[in-house]
Amino acid sequence: MLPEVNTILYACDLEGQTQSALGHVMNLALAHQAKVVVMHVLEPLGAQATNMITNYLPEETTKAMREEAVKNINEKMRVLLSDYINDNKEALSALAHPPETKIAQGIPYEAIIHVAEKVEADIIVMNSRTHSRFGQMIIGSTANKVIHHSNIPVLVVPIKAHK
């Protein structure tokens, strides 16, 4: 029996060529009449940045800044989806469900896996930027970490940087 794909989680960084992977997500959603959840992760600040902020800014200011960041990301995701759907209106008219959005906070690979489990995703789709071998060894890759820690299948769409 073939596995069912009822929910697709698209974890994106909202940079550069996010829409190229979104095409694969929407194609899968159409083929399986699946629900799409587009998510973005707000990473925690490092210890040094956190100390600077807490020492120099009042708590109300940092809370307002965080709320503004979430609002901006929500708007960016809304525009991304709206533009993509409008640009592909005819092809996407058969979508079974309007795409949903989620913002998570935390270490990216952990947040992606957590949200995938919470929304009961059947597949996680992610972008992967090309880095040098040395860069991958030092920096690591969120997609690589999700692949190795998730029990949910992961589809990685490579995005090459423009030169």
Side-chain angles (χ1 to χ4, degrees):
M1 183 153 140
L2 297 174
E4 288 189 25
V5 178
N6 297 311
T7 302
I8 302 164
L9 178 70
Y10 175 38
C12 65
D13 59 10
L14 298 174
E15 292 179 17
Q17 299 178 348
T18 298
Q19 287 195 352
S20 62
L22 188 55
H24 292 285
V25 170
M26 293 304 188
N27 196 7
L28 282 170
L30 285 168
H32 295 277
Q33 291 298 296
K35 176 173 78 170
V36 172
V37 178
V38 179
M39 77 164 293
H40 179 77
V41 180
L42 282 172
E43 294 185 55
L45 295 173
Q48 187 175 10
T50 301
N51 284 337
M52 283 181 55
I53 289 171
T54 56
N55 287 334
Y56 294 105
L57 295 174
E59 188 176 330
E60 311 84 55
T61 303
T62 57
K63 183 179 177 190
M65 289 170 62
R66 193 64 148 175
E67 288 171 359
E68 185 67 22
V70 169
K71 180 180 162 191
N72 289 339
I73 290 168
N74 268 321
E75 178 63 13
K76 203 169 186 178
M77 284 195 294
R78 188 194 65 73
V79 168
L80 170 78
L81 285 169
S82 176
D83 288 352
Y84 192 85
I85 289 169
N86 285 334
D87 291 347
N88 299 280
K89 195 175 284 186
E90 189 175 319
L92 297 176
S93 64
L95 273 179
H97 313 277
E100 298 175 14
T101 60
K102 295 222 180 282
I103 296 176
Q105 297 183 28
I107 298 168
Y109 85 93
E110 291 175 352
I112 292 165
I113 293 169
H114 175 75
V115 170
E117 291 169 351
K118 188 173 179 181
V119 301
E120 298 180 355
D122 299 294
I123 189 167
I124 300 168
V125 180
M126 301 180 65
N127 299 330
S128 179
R129 305 211 181 278
T130 54
H131 298 288
S132 67
R133 287 182 193 255
F134 182 70
Q136 286 182 352
M137 286 183 346
I138 292 176
I139 299 168
S141 164
T142 299
N144 191 41
K145 289 176 184 172
V146 172
I147 289 167
H148 287 91
H149 291 91
S150 176
N151 293 322
I152 298 167
V154 181
L155 171 64
V156 179
V157 179
I159 296 179
K160 305 236 186 260
H162 288 290
K163 293 182 180 179

